[in-house]
Amino acid sequence: QVQLEESGGGLVQPGGSLKLSCAASGKIFSINVMGWYRQVPGKQRELVATISTAGRTDYADSVKGRFTISRDNAKNTVALQMNSLKPEDTAVYYCNVDGVRLSTEWVSHYWGQGTQVTVSS
């Protein structure tokens, strides 16, 4: 019953910035944690950043100081502002929500389809 719509991916030069957005839709009352993960070929999907309803954030060490995650609880959206991008940030970025309260039940993880971010000259 939960759908995630991601946007903002694309091509950017090293040192540039990009902002990813994700909107959760459905008969949703609340979402505990929203976040972003990324995956490159041959590697396991990894955490980029998460944010709870209370505003607590967690970041991968590789993105601390460069990326900022934020959310709008009323709109069930989450954004990832990515600055000082590096070629190693190139990956498919996936929106994720956890602890979703629906009209009839609680559900755990839902994933977006992914959006490509490419950092290259």
Side-chain angles (χ1 to χ4, degrees), residues 42-120:
K43 291 188 176 182
Q44 193 173 45
R45 188 173 299 182
E46 66 175 359
L47 168 73
V48 177
T50 62
I51 183 168
S52 71
T53 54
R56 180 180 295 277
T57 58
D58 288 307
Y59 293 92
D61 289 340
S62 60
V63 307
K64 287 182 178 178
R66 298 188 298 119
F67 292 9
T68 302
I69 190 169
S70 61
R71 67 184 287 173
D72 186 329
N73 293 334
K75 297 181 178 180
N76 288 323
T77 59
V78 61
L80 184 70
Q81 178 65 50
M82 304 184 292
N83 299 323
S84 301
L85 283 162
K86 305 174 181 179
E88 49 263 47
D89 293 318
T90 297
V92 176
Y93 284 70
Y94 296 89
C95 180
N96 173 264
V97 296
D98 189 25
V100 182
R101 186 185 181 187
L102 303 175
S103 61
T104 60
E105 64 181 345
W106 288 84
V107 298
S108 56
H109 286 277
Y110 273 90
W111 295 93
Q113 65 180 359
T115 183
Q116 178 70 46
V117 172
T118 302
V119 184
S120 176

Side-chain angles (χ1 to χ4, degrees), residues 6-25:
E6 301 150 316
S7 62
L11 174 65
V12 65
Q13 293 185 325
S17 298
L18 206 61
K19 186 176 182 178
L20 305 182
S21 297
C22 176
S25 62

